[in-house]
């Protein structure tokens, strides 16, 4: 979110008088850590200043250069003149009635709208409480899956590294504010400030179609001096772009890979996912085996349940046979109906029967009832509604 120009008078010995950066300036978030360091050295700054700057941006998630009190006043002034700190302007922010899910719609410099979701999970028997940011990688998507609101919008452009990372920074600020409110209420100690714990690339767009920027963004998110999101807490979801899956297998990243499979055979998959014509099921599963063998990582399969289309027991058993021998986990997700879509959600009882079919083949699965249905938290849906409301 762009920080509004400061109108307050000089408020202390370290405040900077220069006007705030505008979105017209290049975003400092576009640079890798190494690149940022070399730029700072060229500007005559010492390396430790670049490290301080990095921490201020990504660890402290300062809202403006002016707030970066560890940096000298002249250094801040030159940053303000040269860079903007973010490229996102918040257009809408809504929270579900149960408070677990918030969704932001951000406007980019060229008026494109993208969505970011924050999901809050309470601790259960197995896992501690966590906050997951669901982020977008493209404005729109070229792949046209028929059940997906983003897929119906077509591709407008790839997001830049800075636009991808900025979404996590925004969610981190929200999460930190919530942590601080809990500290104030005595529910936490400051030592426990947790922020965003997980990032999933499951917002608008196909991450592997914007491969280079997504990889660069992951390295920024993963940096221990910055946002410090562990690779094992980062999940990239793909429609199944085989060459990029094979490329990813060689990256030596410990991230999670989720494959949007949604059908056990070509006939069913091609009905809703045009990409299946290009990379059919068998080729995709072969790539998954290669990925699992190389990385030794378990693969997650996403399976959106479409009533009476892909949710029968026979289809579950077919899926079980297809995935047999692959170290994997299947997430079963009753479809989130979209405006244009003619799809209905599978009910919980049918989803459980489907799950039992997978179990016959030893395939573990979880039924995920999607969060944030009341705020159109499904991929691409908030933008769809905002375009109606805002006329954007
Ligand atoms: N393009 C990537 C990541 C973004 S979509 C991909 O397709 O994997 C993230 C997930 O949301 C995918 O599994 C996608 O199939 C699923 N999805 C899309 N529309 C949905 C809907 N209406 N209901 C439930 N899940 C949906
Ligand atoms: Fe694109 Fe993923 Fe939506 Fe398919 S499901 S249209 S790949 S964003």
């Amino acid at each position: 979110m762009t920080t509004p120009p400061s109108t307050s008078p000089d408020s202390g010995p370290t405040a900077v008088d220069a006007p705030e950066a505008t979105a017209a300036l290049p975003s400092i978030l576009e640079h890798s850590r190494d690149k940022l360091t070399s730029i700072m050295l060229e500007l005559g700054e010492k390396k430790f200043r670049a490290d301080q700057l990095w921490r201020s941006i990504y660890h402290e998630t300062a809202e403006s250069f002016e707030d970066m009190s560890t940096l000298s006043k002249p250094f801040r002034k030159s940053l303000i003149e040269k860079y903007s700190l973010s490229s996102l302007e918040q257009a809408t922010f809504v929270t579900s009635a149960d408070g677990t899910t918030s969704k932001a719609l951000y406007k980019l410099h060229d008026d494109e709208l993208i969505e970011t979701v924050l999901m809050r999970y309470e601790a259960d028997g197995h896992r501690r409480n966590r906050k997951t940011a669901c982020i977008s990688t493209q404005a729109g998507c070229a792949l046209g899956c028929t059940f997906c609101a983003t897929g119906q919008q077509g591709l407008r452009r790839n997001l830049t590294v800075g636009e991808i990372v900025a979404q996590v920074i925004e969610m981190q600020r929200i999460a930190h504010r919530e942590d601080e409110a809990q500290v104030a209420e005595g529910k936490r100690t400051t030592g426990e400030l947790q922020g965003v714990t997980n990032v999933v690339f499951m917002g608008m767009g196909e991450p592997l179609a914007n491969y280079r920027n997504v990889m660069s963004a992951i390295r920024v998110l993963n940096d221990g001096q910055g946002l410090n999101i562990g690779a094992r807490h980062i999940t990239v979801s793909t429609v199944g772009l085989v060459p990029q899956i094979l490329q990813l297998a060689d990256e030596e990243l410990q991230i999670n890979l989720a494959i949007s499979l949604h059908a056990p055979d070509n006939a069913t998959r091609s009905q809703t996912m045009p990409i299946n014509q290009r990379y059919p099921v068998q080729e995709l599963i072969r790539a998954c085996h290669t990925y699992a063998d190389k990385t030794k990582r378990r693969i997650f399969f996403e399976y959106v349940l479409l009533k009476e289309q892909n949710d029968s027991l026979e289809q579950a058993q077919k899926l079980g046979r297809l995935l047999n021998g692959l170290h994997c986990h299947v997430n079963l997700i009753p479809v989130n109906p979209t405006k244009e879509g003619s799809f209905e959600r599978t009910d919980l009882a049918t989803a459980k029967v489907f799950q039992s079919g997978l179990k016959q083949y030893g395939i573990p699965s979880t039924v995920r009832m999607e969060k944030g249905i009341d705020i159109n938290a499904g991929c691409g849906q908030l933008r769809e509604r905002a375009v109606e409301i805002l006329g954007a």
Side-chain angles (χ1 to χ4, degrees):
M1 183 170 53
T2 355
T3 311
S6 168
T7 49
S8 60
D10 196 352
S11 53
T14 55
V16 179
D17 309 327
E20 270 296 335
T22 69
L25 293 169
S27 164
I28 203 159
L29 304 181
E30 297 302 338
H31 301 303
S32 68
R33 185 159 185 179
D34 285 349
K35 178 75 183 165
L36 193 66
T37 304
S38 64
I39 292 173
M40 291 306 126
L41 294 177
E42 276 165 30
L43 290 174
E45 294 294 337
K46 300 245 163 33
K47 183 175 176 302
F48 82 93
R49 288 276 176 225
D51 294 339
Q52 282 180 328
L53 175 59
W54 185 267
R55 276 187 69 80
S56 297
I57 299 172
Y58 295 105
H59 183 73
E60 285 139 29
T61 59
E63 306 245 359
S64 70
F65 290 122
E66 185 175 316
D67 287 346
M68 298 180 181
S69 53
T70 52
L71 307 182
S72 72
K73 197 170 167 177
F75 184 29
R76 280 184 271 164
K77 189 162 187 287
S78 68
L79 289 170
I80 288 168
E81 283 161 3
K82 291 187 180 64
Y83 294 104
S84 71
L85 191 50
S86 179
S87 39
L88 307 181
E89 185 189 330
Q90 187 174 292
T92 314
F93 189 84
V94 278
T95 298
S96 61
D98 66 4
T100 62
T101 310
S102 296
K103 182 157 183 167
L105 187 70
Y106 292 116
K107 194 158 145 182
L108 308 181
H109 68 87
D110 54 358
D111 289 343
E112 284 299 343
L113 292 167
I114 58 159
E115 303 174 3
T116 309
V117 178
L118 184 67
M119 292 167 286
R120 306 166 183 86
Y121 298 90
E122 289 299 323
D124 55 32
H126 310 286
R127 305 175 72 174
R128 61 182 192 141
N129 67 326
R130 57 199 196 281
K131 286 190 176 142
T132 299
C134 176
I135 62 173
S136 297
T137 55
Q138 298 182 308
C141 179
L143 293 158
C145 304
T146 55
F147 47 78
C148 171
T150 308
Q152 304 314 302
Q153 297 163 10
L155 174 67
R156 289 175 306 282
R157 69 172 173 87
N158 281 335
L159 300 192
T160 65
V161 179
E163 288 166 340
I164 297 171
V165 168
Q167 297 172 66
V168 181
I169 292 179
E170 290 298 340
M171 295 302 120
Q172 179 78 320
R173 287 180 185 149
I174 295 166
H176 275 160
R177 281 199 285 273
E178 291 170 0
D179 289 344
E180 279 155 14
Q182 290 199 329
V183 170
E185 289 166 21
K187 291 186 186 154
R188 272 176 185 274
T189 66
T190 40
E192 289 173 334
L193 285 191
Q194 189 186 30
V196 170
T197 55
N198 297 65
V199 174
V200 295
F201 286 78
M202 292 188 182
M204 298 167 76
E206 166 53 40
L208 298 190
N210 186 11
Y211 191 91
R212 226 176 40 168
N213 290 349
V214 166
M215 289 305 126
S216 302
I218 288 173
R219 293 186 204 283
V220 174
L221 302 182
N222 198 211
D223 187 294
Q225 299 294 309
L227 287 155
N228 195 20
I229 312 279
R232 285 163 187 262
H233 293 185
I234 297 175
T235 301
V236 170
S237 175
T238 176
V239 73
L241 303 184
V242 166
Q244 287 91 327
I245 292 170
L246 298 175
Q247 195 177 346
L248 189 62
D250 291 326
E251 296 279 356
E252 299 193 357
L253 279 171
Q254 291 292 303
I255 57 167
N256 302 306
L257 178 64
I259 306 280
S260 295
L261 190 56
H262 307 330
D265 56 60
N266 288 321
T268 315
R269 195 164 191 260
S270 293
Q271 279 172 13
T272 53
M273 303 180 73
I275 193 66
N276 196 65
Q277 309 288 345
R278 182 103 177 264
Y279 304 115
V281 170
Q282 287 67 25
E283 195 181 333
L284 175 56
I285 297 299
R286 251 198 318 277
C288 291
H289 276 281
T290 306
Y291 184 90
D293 288 348
K294 278 196 176 165
T295 62
K296 311 279 179 258
R297 304 279 297 152
R298 169 175 63 157
I299 294 186
F300 293 88
F301 287 96
E302 306 292 298
Y303 196 101
V304 166
L305 290 165
L306 308 167
K307 189 175 175 183
E308 289 168 10
Q309 275 190 257
N310 67 354
D311 64 350
S312 71
L313 178 61
E314 292 69 36
Q315 283 163 319
Q317 290 162 333
K318 208 172 193 182
L319 184 63
R321 287 192 289 277
L322 181 71
L323 301 182
N324 209 347
L326 192 55
H327 184 33
C328 68
H329 187 97
V330 177
N331 287 317
L332 300 168
I333 310 145
V335 70
N336 203 347
T338 61
K339 194 164 59 85
E340 302 87 357
S342 50
F343 301 101
E344 281 181 59
R345 317 192 85 200
T346 297
D347 59 54
L348 190 58
T350 310
K352 294 275 181 202
V353 173
F354 194 95
Q355 207 173 11
S356 71
L358 286 175
K359 204 167 172 203
Q360 289 170 11
Y361 292 86
I363 310 290
S365 64
T366 311
V367 179
R368 302 213 181 269
M369 300 311 284
E370 255 202 86
K371 280 177 166 287
I373 296 280
D374 58 330
I375 55 164
N376 296 309
C379 164
Q381 292 184 335
L382 186 64
R383 178 189 180 276
E384 189 176 58
R385 208 179 48 167
V387 168
E388 272 173 15
I389 296 168
L390 307 171

